[in-house]
Structure formats: C-alpha cells, structure tokens
C-alpha cells in the first residue's frame, strides 16, 4: 500500500479531525515531506483536505468522494477484493473478468465513478454519468442454487438497495418487479444479474449483480429517451452532498450478502412492491399485452390474471403500470 493510500485510510478513519504532520509521518513511517506530497496528490484527485500552518491535515467531514479506503471502513467483510475505477466500460464485465481469473471471490465487487458502456436488461444501455450515481457489480457464489432460483438473487439485490438507502439516506423507495426501484414515480435504480452455470449440474458457479443507483441528476440532464422516466434520490449535486457515498456503497454490499446468505423471498420485497394489485402492461420481446398483477410467488415470480381471465405466472419479462385515460 502506498503512502498516499495509507494516508487516505487514516484521514477517512478520522474524518473531521485534525491530524498533525508529525504524527502522520510517524504512523506512516515516512518524512513529513512525503506526507505533504501525498496530501497534494489527493487534493489533485478531488479530496477536500484542509491544512494549516502548525495545525496538520483534516479530511472535511462533508467529503463524500468515493475511495477504496473509505468504503472498506464500513464493510462487514473489509478483506474482500475491491476495485474502484474512475471510468469503466461496464462494471459487470470487469467483475466477471475478476471472478473468472480467480481474483474476486464471494462478496468482492468493483465500482466506477462513471460507465461508458453501462448495461441494462434486454441489451439496453444504462446511463451512468460521472459521480451522479453509484455503479457497482458484486460477485456472488451461491451454494447449490440453479438458474430457476436465480430470480431470488435479483429480488435480494432490490431489498439490499432498499434497506441501504433507507438506513443511510432516510428515503423509502418503491420496488418494481422484478429489478427496479422507484422514487416519486421515477426509476432511480436498475439491477442486472448475470449468472455463469455449471453445464452438467445446472448450478450457478457465480453470479454478477450489477447495481446502478442515481444519486442526483447530472448537469447535462437525462437523454431524451429517459426524460420523464429516470429520476434520482436528490434533485441536484448540492442536495446530495451530505450523503456519505462510501457508507452507502458499503451498506448496499453488506445488505446484499446478508440477504443472499439464506436465499428466500424477503417480506420487504413483497410489502414495498408497487406492482401487485395494479393493471399492467407486459412486454415479452416485441409483443405486449395487458393483465392484472395479483401477487408475488415465493420464488419471486409474478402471478397475473390475463385479459381472458386465465392465471399466468411470469418468471421473466418487463412490466409497467398501465396508465388509464
């Protein structure tokens, strides 16, 4: 670990406290000049580090910049593989590569400050502007789970985001079957779960759970196709400045590992789901149909009443609430 990384770890641990240059040099076993060089480098990366003559250095208590050191402070399993990218194509792809190579095991994850090729369901792109959201992918190694049971991994991820946002931000979201979360009628979070299975047994060897959470609307705004659809937890960057992104990221991962330890449908997913009891449109490929959502089954599937009165069970597909004139 470099002097810069170790310094940031200490500053994160003592956020809002002044640490003397002499004490830091002693703790890091380096010269005070090396400490100053590391502080300068961190400032250039955007960290709000205050300094005063004969006073020392302090990471602003309001600092919410993502860092590996800051995230690890709040992880229940701080020893996992964790990589932070300033820019990435797709965090799901990077996490998958790390898992295949053996670098990343259960609970490991990658996170990016922005994605240039973020992926959503059905081959769609996921808009991921710099610093306006959290874009992370977690590696899971479910024990004995099959593809038929993989739907529960997605429902568990939705519950993890719901709990983390409620705990850290004090905001209660609505869950939309199967993989989205909404706030004030706008989508603020999407989840993409990809599984690699053993061909002979049909069991999942590992799964990559990609999570994109919009914190605020970037200055450039949303693309035209997302206008009126996408939303965020906060209206602008200033409103979101008080949220500790490192803590929020860690809590999402903590809750995800907790929810998937004994995989089953959470009551939180059912109680806060916005779909049951509503008239919906079901998109199946290029075709669509109307139905009434009844309830969510224990395996995460959605039970619906078709227009002809028959009952169907959906294990995949995309649904939206039917807007009536």
């Amino acid at each position: 670990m470099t002097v810069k990384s170790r310094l940031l770890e200490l500053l994160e641990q003592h956020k809002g406290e002044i640490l003397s240059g002499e004490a830091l040099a002693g703790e890091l076993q380096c010269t005070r000049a090396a400490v100053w060089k590391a502080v300068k480098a961190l400032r250039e990366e955007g960290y709000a580090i205050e300094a005063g003559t004969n006073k020392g250095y302090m990471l602003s208590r309001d600092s919410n910049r993502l860092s590996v050191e800051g995230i690890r402070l709040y992880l229940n399993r701080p020893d996992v593989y964790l990589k932070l990218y300033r820019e990435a194509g797709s965090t799901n792809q990077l996490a998958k590569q790390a898992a295949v190579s053996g670098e990343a095991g259960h609970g490991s994850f990658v996170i990016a400050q922005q994605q240039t090729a973020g992926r959503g369901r059905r081959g769609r792109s996921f808009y991921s502007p710099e610093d306006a959201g959290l874009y992370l992918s977690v590696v899971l190694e479910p024990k004995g789970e099959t593809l038929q049971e993989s739907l529960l991994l997605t429902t568990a991820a939705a519950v993890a985001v719901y709990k983390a946002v409620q705990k850290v931000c004090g905001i209660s979201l609505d869950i939309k079957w199967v993989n989205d979360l909404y706030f004030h009628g706008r989508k603020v979070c999407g989840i993409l779960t990809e599984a690699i299975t053993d061909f002979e047994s049909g069991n999942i060897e590992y799964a990559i759970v990609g999570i994109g959470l919009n914190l605020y609307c970037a200055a450039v705004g949303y693309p035209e196709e997302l206008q009126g659809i996408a939303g965020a937890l906060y209206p602008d960057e200033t409103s979101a400045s008080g949220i500790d992104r490192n803590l929020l990221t860690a809590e999402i991962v903590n809750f995800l590992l907790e929810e998937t330890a004994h995989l089953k449908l959470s009551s939180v997913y059912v109680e806060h789901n916005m779909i049951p009891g509503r008239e919906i449109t079901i998109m199946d490929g290029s075709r669509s149909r109307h139905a009434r959502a009844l309830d969510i089954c224990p395996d995460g599937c959605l039970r619906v009443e078709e227009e002809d009165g028959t009952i169907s069970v959906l294990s995949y597909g995309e649904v939206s609430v039917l807007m009536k004139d």
Side-chain angles (χ1 to χ4, degrees), residues 57-122:
Y57 306 101
M58 179 184 76
L59 180 63
S60 172
R61 190 174 294 279
D62 295 329
S63 173
N64 66 353
R65 191 167 182 80
L66 282 172
S67 70
V68 169
E69 296 79 8
I71 294 171
R72 287 196 191 279
L73 287 177
Y74 304 109
L75 288 174
N76 292 339
R77 293 182 53 192
D79 58 331
V80 297
Y81 171 94
L82 164 55
K83 199 77 176 282
L84 169 63
Y85 294 86
R86 180 174 181 179
E87 179 182 294
S90 162
T91 58
N92 259 35
Q93 190 62 31
L94 291 170
K96 189 183 300 182
Q97 292 171 356
V100 169
S101 69
E103 284 185 280
H106 183 69
S108 299
F109 63 102
V110 298
I111 185 166
Q113 293 177 339
Q114 74 174 111
Q115 293 183 109
T116 56
R119 296 161 55 208
R121 296 183 72 209
R122 298 176 175 269

